[in-house]
Amino acid sequence: MVRLKTEEEIEILRENALLVSKTLAQVGRYVAPGVTTLELNNIAETYIRDHGAQPAFLGYGGFPFTLCVSVNDVIVHGFASEYRLADGDIISVDCGT
């Protein structure tokens, strides 16, 4: 059964989607060789909290980070770490609020 969202629920989803978009843009400013994925995670968490929200991934099912950061051959749901990005790395970043 499909449950239709109320106007209020749709507005909450819209606000969260906008914050996620802005968070990813903020994190993207720092993606560069030498930056750790943990630093990117911390930038995202600070940005989200500074905008009055909570990171949705942090603590979900025990997930310990704000971002899912996948580098190179990591397919999905990568953990932030002390790994320093290198020139040529392919990085995927996902978050939720």
Side-chain angles (χ1 to χ4, degrees):
M1 179 172 140
V2 174
R3 188 181 76 74
L4 298 178
K5 302 282 189 232
T6 67
E7 290 297 322
E8 181 181 347
E9 290 169 323
I10 291 170
E11 180 59 22
I12 290 168
L13 290 168
R14 186 188 72 75
E15 289 174 11
N16 279 278
L18 287 172
L19 181 55
V20 165
S21 174
K22 291 176 182 179
T23 302
L24 291 173
Q26 179 70 7
V27 168
R29 291 181 181 100
Y30 294 91
V31 173
V35 175
T36 69
T37 58
L38 190 57
E39 289 171 318
L40 298 176
N41 181 81
N42 294 340
I43 289 164
E45 183 170 351
T46 298
Y47 190 85
I48 290 167
R49 291 189 189 282
D50 285 352
H51 288 82
Q54 295 179 359
F57 294 1
L58 183 61
Y60 180 78
F63 190 76
F65 299 103
T66 294
L67 296 179
C68 291
V69 183
S70 304
V71 180
N72 297 327
D73 60 347
V74 176
I75 296 172
V76 67
H77 300 150
F79 281 29
S81 70
E82 293 297 334
Y83 176 77
R84 292 195 179 279
L85 296 174
D87 192 31
D89 278 346
I90 298 170
I91 181 172
S92 171
V93 180
D94 191 16
C95 75
T97 61

